[in-house]
Amino acid sequence: MSLDPDPEEMRRLARLALDRSLDARTRIREARVHTPPDPTELQALLDEPLPRQGLGLADCIERFHDRVLPRATRVDHPRFFGYVPAPGSFASAVGDLMAAFANPFVGTWLGGASMAQLELVVLGWLREALGLPEAWSSGILTSGGSLANLSALAAAREACPAPLARQTIYTSSEAHYSVRKAARILGYADERIVALPVDFEQRLATDGLASRLESDLADGLVPAAIVPTVGTTSTGAVDDVTACAEIGRRHGAWIHVDGAYGAAMALCPEETAIREALAGADSLTLDPHKWLYAGIESGCLLTRRDGSLEQAFTGDGAYLQDLPRDAVNLFERGPELTRGGRALKLWTLLRGLGVDALADAVRHDQALARRAADRLLADPRIRLVTPPRMSVFSFAVPGEEEGGRRLVDALHRDGFCFLSSSRVAGSFVLRFCVVNHRTTEQDVDETVDRVLALLDEQPPGAD
Ligand SMILES: *Cc1c(COP(=O)(O)O)cnc(C)c1O
């Protein structure tokens, strides 16, 4: 008995799924970016009793495209400028499609050497594309930046000679929450995860880092890791990695750069400052599903400390005794054993399009962010709070927090474009983040026009 349909039926259904998917892909600009979710409506739309008898795959394909996708928030929409968008790309989807059908196991060398080799090839390409030296020969593909940060901090914890209770981790108050989350999972007490203040440009204040480190050392604590961010999620700020490394290295601290958003800028060879800064760290998180245009889920950890991930993750188990010990077993570089063909979507992306095309897309996004800022600022009601850095800027509107919240709500109800909010030095701001190779100048201009039109409708002090 097989659960699969016969070959003819398989082809028919696969074509249907592809046709509907490509319709959604190519007509995305006509779709709403976002529909404020109504739990009662969604329940009525999607709840069904457990199907004892199958309802058929064609029905599943139609139902997903008719009912689910139209109400989804489209983070790949050319007018989605919230958070850090995840645009994906056709080239990456082709790789994912092959991975879905091939269903490879990429946990051990014995279980799938050719796919493991493909992952090593992709890791090597990413290293080279970011301008990192050959010594950065280890790494792993993860589901995202959170797991990459977790894996890096696990390696740092193992590499630190002090007992866990005396180890400390330093980052900034602008670091992504996944850093603290990872440290907590790894057993660090909250007071051992130090979020240091930032300077007026939202960068980790390195003089504060140096003095805090000295006083902690005097108290018998040992710095396990310093985690600067290259491209903070809120405002694109770039911490001084080189200064962090100088301060931390003396005391044996591991320097882990969270570049989940911003490391992609190093794809551009002219970005020499960022490339050199990254090369001075011990490990780097990047998130190909953000600014490298890979599909969700695609994260990556690279490190120049060969063997350190294995030290943190090598397991045992009698049923794994056949594994050759001298080969790369990817399950020994991260928390997962069974893991799929994550490399494929990056392989099709990098091999199919070439890294120069990705660098061009990064430059394109930066230019569009600058354009959006220029056009918005031409309106006297808009106050720039942080300038375009990476490909994000933030601004305030009349009425400060109240006015800002009203505008964000109005944008989300409207569904034409999507912006999200944040806080800079405690004040409410709207963010405009461009990470999408499909976004055009027209998309940006129409979004700016819509923001200003909604401001007209929502004068401060309305309600
Ligand atoms: C998005 C982001 C993360 C988390 O990555 P996920 O892929 O969402 O798990 C971590 N750090 C920074 C700076 C980010 O922007």
Side-chain angles (χ1 to χ4, degrees):
M1 178 246 176
S2 168
L3 293 175
D4 292 338
D6 67 47
E8 271 317 299
E9 181 66 354
M10 250 194 256
R11 275 177 208 280
R12 188 184 73 82
L13 289 165
R15 281 199 196 98
L16 177 64
L18 264 185
D19 279 343
R20 296 269 352 223
S21 297
L22 289 174
D23 282 345
R25 170 83 281 138
T26 53
R27 302 180 61 179
I28 190 165
R29 201 170 260 105
E30 299 159 34
R32 291 178 66 86
V33 180
H34 171 79
T35 304
D38 171 353
T40 318
E41 188 216 344
L42 289 176
Q43 210 171 22
L45 200 66
L46 300 178
D47 265 12
E48 290 181 282
L50 170 70
R52 286 283 161 199
Q53 307 292 322
L55 300 166
L57 290 172
D59 191 69
C60 296
I61 294 165
E62 304 288 4
R63 202 176 180 87
F64 170 72
H65 284 283
D66 293 341
R67 299 197 177 195
V68 183
L69 196 56
R71 282 159 189 83
T73 301
R74 311 292 290 274
V75 297
D76 56 348
H77 194 293
R79 292 187 304 270
F80 183 91
F81 303 111
Y83 310 105
V84 178
S89 57
F90 181 76
S92 164
V94 168
D96 252 348
L97 186 68
M98 294 197 290
F101 280 106
N103 194 35
F105 168 84
V106 199
T108 63
W109 186 255
L110 201 59
S114 65
M115 284 297 302
Q117 187 62 40
L118 202 69
E119 185 158 335
L120 298 179
V121 167
V122 163
L123 289 167
W125 284 349
L126 288 171
R127 173 195 68 68
E128 191 179 339
L130 298 171
L132 296 168
E134 270 175 44
W136 286 67
S137 59
S138 184
I140 186 160
L141 297 179
T142 64
S143 56
S146 301
L147 260 288
N149 283 341
L150 174 69
S151 305
L153 290 181
R157 181 186 67 177
E158 289 306 305
C160 181
L164 183 63
R166 287 205 289 126
Q167 292 186 19
T168 45
I169 293 176
Y170 301 88
T171 191
S172 92
S173 57
E174 288 290 302
H176 192 270
Y177 170 62
S178 58
V179 174
R180 178 168 295 270
K181 194 182 190 181
R184 280 185 178 157
I185 293 171
L186 292 168
Y188 289 92
D190 267 346
E191 62 271 22
R192 296 281 176 272
I193 313 162
V194 182
L196 294 154
V198 292
D199 65 14
F200 68 102
E201 287 184 317
Q202 293 75 45
R203 295 173 306 194
L204 193 160
T206 45
D207 47 350
L209 169 65
S211 55
R212 176 66 189 251
L213 213 86
E214 291 303 330
S215 70
D216 283 352
L217 282 161
D219 287 343
L221 301 176
V222 178
I226 299 173
V227 187
T229 308
V230 167
T232 59
T233 318
S234 259
T235 70
V238 178
D239 291 340
D240 187 342
V241 178
T242 309
C244 289
E246 275 164 13
I247 295 165
R249 232 359 97 55
R250 270 179 269 151
H251 307 291
W254 181 295
I255 312 300
H256 173 65
V257 173
D258 183 359
Y261 166 30
M265 230 168 87
L267 293 179
C268 306
E270 69 274 18
E271 298 291 348
T272 49
I274 283 197
R275 287 162 75 100
E276 280 162 22
L278 295 183
D282 293 293
S283 58
L284 168 68
T285 286
L286 59 148
D287 238 356
H289 63 210
K290 288 178 177 162
W291 215 3
L292 268 80
Y293 314 103
I296 292 172
E297 305 165 344
S298 183
C300 178
L301 173 66
L302 294 172
T303 177
R304 65 180 184 81
R305 294 236 205 157
D306 192 23
S308 59
L309 291 169
E310 284 84 351
Q311 207 185 329
F313 291 112
T314 293
D316 48 18
Y319 82 104
L320 296 171
Q321 66 188 0
D322 303 337
L323 298 180
R325 300 316 302 173
D326 52 348
V328 176
N329 293 301
L330 286 163
F331 84 98
E332 295 179 323
R333 290 188 180 183
E336 300 157 294
L337 170 58
T338 299
R339 44 199 300 286
R342 279 180 191 149
L344 262 168
K345 59 181 151 195
L346 286 167
W347 186 72
T348 50
L349 188 62
L350 290 164
R351 191 167 188 277
L353 305 184
V355 73
D356 289 350
L358 301 183
D360 279 344
V362 165
R363 294 184 194 104
H364 157 96
D365 289 345
Q366 289 182 295
L368 289 181
R370 287 192 294 268
R371 180 185 180 94
D374 287 346
R375 293 180 73 97
L376 264 177
L377 289 177
D379 188 295
R381 291 170 296 179
I382 304 291
R383 179 169 64 81
L384 186 72
V385 177
T386 59
R389 293 191 291 230
M390 300 283 152
S391 61
V392 62
F393 64 95
S394 67
F395 62 97
V397 297
E400 295 303 321
E401 173 142 7
E402 236 188 274
R405 279 191 192 284
R406 247 200 323 270
L407 179 58
V408 170
D409 287 347
L411 282 163
H412 292 183
R413 275 197 308 275
D414 181 57
F416 178 77
C417 54
F418 192 102
L419 270 60
S420 60
S421 74
S422 187
R423 282 181 185 281
V424 174
S427 299
F428 186 96
V429 295
L430 283 96
R431 294 170 65 262
F432 199 119
C433 183
V434 188
V435 173
N436 194 330
H437 52 98
R438 302 180 193 98
T439 302
T440 61
E441 291 187 344
Q442 190 182 345
D443 289 316
V444 163
D445 295 353
E446 288 176 358
T447 296
V448 168
D449 290 347
R450 189 68 71 122
V451 167
L452 297 176
L454 287 170
L455 260 190
D456 289 338
E457 289 171 22
Q458 319 257 333
D463 318 311

